[in-house]
Amino acid sequence: MIEINSERLLDSLYRLRDIGAVDRGVVRPAFSDADMHARHWLRQEFIEAGLRAEIDGVGNVLGISNNSGPAILLGSHLDTQPKGGWLDGALGVIYGLEVARTLSENCLTNHLAVDVVAFQDEESRFLGCLGSRSFVGILDEDTFTNSIDKDGIRLIDAIDQAGLSGARRSKLDPDRYLGFLEAHIEQGPHLEDEDMKIGVVTSIVGLGSREFVFRGQQNHAGTTMMQVRKDAATALFDLAHTLNNSFSNLATPSTVWTMGRVLVEPGAVSIIPGYAELGLQYRDPSNEILDLLDAEVDLVVKEVSKRVSAKISIKTVGDRIKPIELDFLLRKNLGLAAEQYAPNRWIDMPSGAYHDAAIISQLLPAAMLFIPSIGGISHDFSEDSHQDDIILGCNVLAEAVIKILSD
Ligand code: HGY
Ligand code: MN
Ligand code: MN
């Protein structure tokens, strides 16, 4: 059984963690200085690992083996949430680097072709899975040209600022690969609750999203009688409350929805808000349920618009990320490897988080491997995993890669 260099693995993870470190977490939003620093650092690591390395026109970092295919592509994303954990995305990227290094150092495996990728903007500063969408060729020019972040910064300006304007946008060559494997922290409590060490992911949820805008009339909070007000915040609260109730009636046990972004302007206690924004995101393993929730949103907007005085409009309808099943053969090899390193301590399980693997699966067989998240926490500075679990996961991935490429 292969043994990765655990000291080197942890050292690379800790050095990456230092880039954009805040408290116990990291702040490396797509195209931020910290993100680009991490990408240039990683490109150098790929070169030292003997890979041909480049940063492409949307910031994806690619490390390509000199070995001829068929190859395996390993990786994940390098960008983080605005207040992110140190392992979300980073784990899968550094696992890929360590597997490439370990196999190239071993005379029995140094002929195998292991490529590694670090995608850009999986965390949707501009657009969820921006980098992997560009890599599979489904990022249309209109979206590329018109994407802006929540502060109104244009994607093309962020790319220019990062010094990437004019760099080519790499495209996946499906003929080179047998598949894509993304290792990731579970970001939930299931593995820890079941005292399991490895999750072999069966499916990835789908996702719908909306941005609502509420326009009313800013006015004095004392002299404006209730019946004449056009209060943007009251309309927002009414819509949020009604959506919560109506989604609860449609939801299955695996349906989740979140209203994680609220803006009320001008945000002063003695001023009736004239403007408000609300971000809604909903997820389910079933595309049919997501279609139902889509339709329900439109019905609820119509119903609430009739009874509030502010005007409600839908600013953006996010691209649907479809739920997907992951590749059976790749999963089988992940399971065989997991059984070798963690006998009876691994399970098949769905992913409640979405991942670049969902996008890559449009062109390549794809599969994922999870390691436990302490307390099930993620998208928070306190996100963490036990060192032994981190090392075990990388060994399982390396063994699975050898099985897949040697079959
Ligand atoms: O939100 C997600 O599922 C992913 O972590 N971006
Ligand atoms: Mn994330
Ligand atoms: Mn992630």
Side-chain angles (χ1 to χ4, degrees):
M1 292 179 358
I2 195 87
E3 283 298 318
I4 54 101
N5 181 328
S6 50
E7 241 175 76
R8 179 174 61 188
L9 166 70
L10 294 172
D11 176 59
S12 298
L13 279 169
Y14 294 146
R15 282 195 288 141
L16 176 54
R17 179 184 202 170
D18 288 343
I19 303 173
V22 175
D23 191 342
R24 293 171 54 202
V26 286
V27 176
R28 285 201 310 260
F31 297 107
S32 59
D33 291 347
D35 173 60
M36 290 314 298
H37 175 184
R39 290 178 193 275
H40 287 287
W41 169 81
L42 181 70
R43 178 179 168 278
Q44 194 49 43
E45 292 295 303
F46 281 175
I47 291 168
E48 285 164 27
L51 301 169
R52 296 193 317 276
E54 64 165 317
I55 301 177
D56 85 348
V58 289
N60 293 325
V61 190
L62 290 133
I64 307 297
S65 165
N66 289 310
N67 294 342
S68 53
I72 194 89
L73 180 64
L74 305 178
S76 189
H77 58 96
L78 208 51
D79 63 292
T80 71
Q81 283 284 334
K83 290 192 174 181
W86 72 290
L87 289 168
D88 180 356
L91 185 93
V93 170
I94 302 300
Y95 270 18
L97 171 61
E98 181 50 34
V99 170
R101 291 188 291 213
T102 296
L103 270 54
S104 69
E105 291 161 349
N106 186 316
C107 58
L108 297 177
T109 57
N110 59 13
H111 63 289
L112 299 176
V114 177
D115 295 353
V116 191
V117 61
F119 291 118
Q120 179 60 290
D121 201 16
E122 187 272 352
E123 299 286 13
S124 51
R125 173 185 170 192
F126 292 99
L127 174 75
C129 299
L130 167 81
S132 47
R133 288 175 199 261
S134 171
F135 195 54
V136 300
I138 57 172
L139 178 64
D140 65 73
E141 281 318 300
D142 193 37
T143 306
F144 179 74
T145 315
N146 298 320
S147 280
I148 59 168
D149 72 0
K150 64 177 176 52
D151 301 319
I153 295 171
R154 296 191 309 168
L155 168 62
I156 47 178
D157 293 335
I159 288 175
D160 192 44
Q161 178 77 20
L164 297 174
S165 293
R168 75 184 185 101
R169 283 165 43 189
S170 312
K171 287 288 174 291
L172 173 63
D173 166 14
D175 299 336
R176 171 170 169 80
Y177 297 104
L178 292 179
F180 171 68
L181 293 181
E182 180 170 7
H184 207 284
I185 49 172
E186 178 200 342
Q187 300 182 292
H190 195 56
L191 288 174
E192 196 173 62
D193 290 352
E194 305 288 323
D195 194 23
M196 290 291 162
K197 292 293 179 192
I198 297 285
V200 176
V201 184
T202 52
S203 61
I204 300 177
V205 283
L207 181 144
S209 60
R210 291 280 202 294
E211 289 284 329
F212 302 102
V213 171
F214 307 81
R215 287 185 176 81
Q217 175 59 56
Q218 185 170 318
N219 212 328
H220 192 293
T223 56
T224 314
M225 293 303 111
M226 295 313 280
Q227 64 277 24
V228 296
R229 291 180 175 213
K230 291 187 175 19
D231 187 329
T234 307
L236 181 152
F237 301 140
D238 188 330
L239 183 73
H241 179 69
T242 313
L243 280 170
N244 264 325
N245 289 341
S246 63
F247 272 23
S248 313
N249 299 331
L250 290 171
T252 68
S254 39
T255 311
V256 291
W257 60 93
T258 313
M259 296 179 228
R261 198 179 76 78
V262 176
L263 172 74
V264 172
E265 285 185 341
V269 286
S270 292
I271 300 178
I272 301 168
Y275 180 83
E277 288 180 3
L278 173 68
L280 164 71
Q281 187 197 86
Y282 39 99
R283 308 187 191 199
D284 195 277
S286 146
N287 220 31
E288 290 65 34
I289 296 288
L290 291 172
D291 290 343
L292 272 178
L293 297 174
D294 270 355
E296 186 66 14
V297 171
D298 296 332
L299 289 175
V300 167
V301 169
K302 274 200 192 87
E303 176 200 326
V304 175
S305 296
K306 284 189 199 123
R307 64 169 175 254
V308 296
S309 49
K311 284 266 164 293
I312 305 175
S313 56
I314 295 185
K315 182 175 160 190
T316 45
V317 178
D319 283 5
R320 168 70 64 79
I321 293 188
K322 284 206 174 88
I324 55 120
E325 292 294 316
L326 290 167
D327 179 77
F328 178 76
L329 197 54
L330 296 178
R331 282 168 41 196
K332 187 169 142 271
N333 282 297
L334 284 169
L336 289 170
E339 186 59 25
Q340 277 178 272
Y341 287 83
N344 303 315
R345 303 290 301 279
W346 67 277
I347 46 172
D348 285 321
M349 61 183 287
S351 171
Y354 67 78
H355 298 283
D356 290 304
I359 303 293
I360 302 299
S361 71
Q362 296 186 24
L363 279 192
L364 274 189
M368 292 192 73
L369 170 151
F370 280 167
I371 69 164
S373 292
I374 297 173
I377 302 284
S378 181
H379 283 191
D380 182 277
F381 283 163
S382 63
E383 172 191 287
D384 205 354
S385 294
H386 294 296
Q387 217 175 67
D388 292 351
D389 293 345
I390 291 173
I391 294 166
L392 174 67
C394 196
N395 275 316
V396 170
L397 183 69
E399 187 67 26
V401 166
I402 294 170
K403 289 183 188 317
I404 293 161
L405 292 180
S406 313
D407 253 359

